[in-house]
Amino acid sequence: MGVSKDEANDVFLGLLRVQKLLVAAKHSAPRLEDGVDVTAYPVLFVVAGAGTVRISEIAAMLHNDVSTVSRQVSSLVTSGLLEKSADPHDGRASVVSLTETGQAALGRIQDARAAWFQGLLCHWDGPAVADFVTRLGELGDAIDAHLRERGATTLPLPFTSTRDSTRDQNQKEG
């Protein structure tokens, strides 16, 4: 069962509105870490999920150009949140990883983000949130599949919802 053209346009317009509002919110968000631009936060999330990773891989995962990510990484290294080292597989290249300071900063960022979303979703119940997360994942999967069908190379982001990681951990332990 498919959706109508009007329904598809409603979904697109709704997502476009949310995207623009999130960009506006990002630019007015309080800086949780001195000297760290909020636009560099996604780099921290990618590095945290991937462990040790090349700058070019971060750029590919974030669908960003290498020069932008390189500047963000340099800023995060200067701030002490990331450390850069030689790639053990190719000494000409560099890899970055999260420092202890970076891990603590990431925790503060995640806590602040969760508190903000808790406030936004205060009138939603658990099943509504779970359904939304499921549907959002399905939409992401559909967009990813479409991009791949058109020949785009999309790298999976190395993080999932906290529910997924908790569930995955429980499955590994059980």
Side-chain angles (χ1 to χ4, degrees):
M1 166 168 100
V3 299
S4 72
K5 186 165 106 176
D6 287 341
E7 290 168 328
N9 277 320
D10 287 346
V11 168
F12 176 79
L13 291 173
L15 287 171
L16 184 61
R17 177 176 180 253
V18 168
Q19 176 195 18
K20 297 300 180 185
L21 290 168
L22 285 171
V23 168
K26 178 173 60 175
H27 291 299
S28 65
R31 293 187 185 265
L32 299 173
E33 300 300 317
D34 289 336
V36 179
D37 188 342
V38 295
T39 61
Y41 288 175
V43 172
L44 288 175
F45 284 96
V46 168
V47 174
T52 301
V53 62
R54 285 183 174 195
I55 293 170
S56 59
E57 293 170 330
I58 298 168
M61 287 181 223
L62 293 175
H63 304 283
N64 225 329
D65 61 278
V66 174
S67 63
T68 298
V69 173
S70 182
R71 281 190 304 276
Q72 291 171 327
V73 165
S74 291
S75 173
L76 293 166
V77 168
T78 300
S79 297
L81 303 180
L82 293 180
E83 63 184 357
K84 192 184 274 191
S85 58
D87 184 335
H89 304 292
D90 180 357
R92 299 167 297 167
S94 295
V95 292
V96 294
S97 56
L98 215 52
T99 64
E100 286 186 30
T101 303
Q103 188 66 43
L106 189 64
R108 289 188 295 275
I109 293 165
Q110 289 174 314
D111 289 346
R113 182 191 61 198
W116 183 54
F117 270 92
Q118 280 180 304
L120 293 174
L121 304 174
C122 66
H123 298 293
W124 292 34
D125 62 16
V129 173
D131 187 49
F132 181 72
V133 169
T134 298
R135 297 296 182 178
L136 200 55
E138 291 170 353
L139 178 61
D141 291 345
I143 293 170
D144 183 64
H146 175 77
L147 290 171
R148 288 175 188 274
E149 287 170 7
R150 296 186 65 168
T153 302
T154 61
L155 296 176
L157 291 171
F159 50 82
T160 58
S161 76
T162 52
R163 291 178 198 226
D164 290 344
S165 58
T166 301
R167 186 186 65 232
D168 293 345
Q169 186 62 35
N170 289 341
Q171 287 175 347
K172 288 177 188 174
E173 293 172 359

